[in-house]
Structures are given as structure tokens and as C-alpha cells.
Amino acid sequence: MPSPDTHAATSPPDIAAARPSAQRRYGPTFLLPVLAIVLGDGIWSDGQPTGATYLAVAALTVAAGAVWQLLARRDLVDRLTHVAALYVALAVLLATSWGSAVSVSGSGVGLGGVLTGLVIAEQWLRHRDWRRARRSSASDATDAPSTR
């Protein structure tokens, strides 16, 4: 019977093999979601937000994220690692102003926290799996019989 950690010894799928060629990558496509977030913030701040406002902002940002992934495909954990690091830095900066008023949405903070936790955990698991595979291949090399 295989151990529960059998899947941990295998590496995650290699996204580099599925990555489009350099000709198909569209340079600064990361600007699409940045632009969508800026536009969404403008839509959101126009008066009292309603359900229609929420739907417009959600549709705009989801579409921008999907187009970004379609135009410049990357592994999502690798893509979101910088966002997670930025979130942690922002959380530390906001925590230093503990008594001051901060204008941040609670649900946005919660979503950012969940995404950051997912990214950090996946990066840790990948590193752990890489170390195990490296140890395993090193022990396989020393156990191999000599062919001389």
C-alpha cells in the first residue's frame, strides 16, 4: 500500500513544457489586470456602490485576468508569488500604523490573505518535493551497481 506522501515525492506538472513560445508572449501583458484594477477602482468610487457596480468591476477584472493568462500563460503560483510578497509587505506596513485609520476593504484583505497563504504553502511544498527528489536521486546514484 502506498504511503500517504506518495504524491509529495512527485514534482508538480512542468508548466514550462506547456508555456507558449517566445513569439507568442505579448510583453507587458501584466498591465491588463493593473489597468482593469485601476478602472474598477474608478467605477467603484463613483457614488454609492450597487450590485451593478460590483458586477461591472468583477466582470472587468475577471476578464482581464483571464486574458492575461491566455496571452502569457504561466504557472499561477509563480505568477502570484510577487503579489503574495507585496501583500505581506503591505500587511506589515499597515500593522505598524495599528492605531491609525486605514482605508482597506475587509473582504479584500481576507481574499488577499487566503491567496497569499495558498501561494506560500505551494512554494513550500514545491521546495520540499524538490529536496526529497534530489535526496532520492543522490541515494539512487550511490546505490547503483558499477558497470565496469
Side-chain angles (χ1 to χ4, degrees):
M1 178 171 179
S3 73
D5 278 346
T6 301
H7 72 280
T10 61
S11 63
D14 185 15
I15 195 72
R19 193 175 289 162
S21 67
Q23 294 84 12
R24 183 118 185 270
R25 298 188 78 189
Y26 293 102
T29 55
F30 70 91
L31 292 175
L32 288 171
V34 171
L35 181 61
I37 290 170
V38 169
L39 290 173
D41 189 46
I43 293 169
W44 191 263
S45 64
D46 289 344
Q48 183 67 26
T50 63
T53 307
Y54 178 81
L55 182 61
V57 171
L60 177 67
T61 54
V62 167
V67 169
W68 183 29
Q69 184 68 2
L70 289 171
L71 290 178
R73 186 173 183 193
R74 266 181 80 189
D75 178 68
L76 289 179
V77 170
D78 291 342
R79 175 167 276 161
L80 294 176
T81 297
H82 292 85
V83 175
L86 182 64
Y87 179 85
V88 170
L90 183 62
V92 168
L93 286 174
L94 290 176
T96 59
S97 59
W98 191 269
S100 325
V102 202
S103 176
V104 179
S105 158
S107 59
V109 171
L111 177 62
V114 169
L115 289 176
T116 298
L118 288 169
V119 169
I120 289 170
E122 180 60 26
Q123 289 289 21
W124 179 80
L125 289 169
R126 287 180 181 187
H127 182 71
R128 183 190 69 177
D129 294 346
W130 173 80
R131 281 193 336 237
R132 283 184 179 172
R134 201 171 111 202
R135 253 186 272 136
S136 174
S137 66
S139 68
D140 289 348
T142 57
D143 292 343
S146 176
T147 57
R148 289 184 187 192

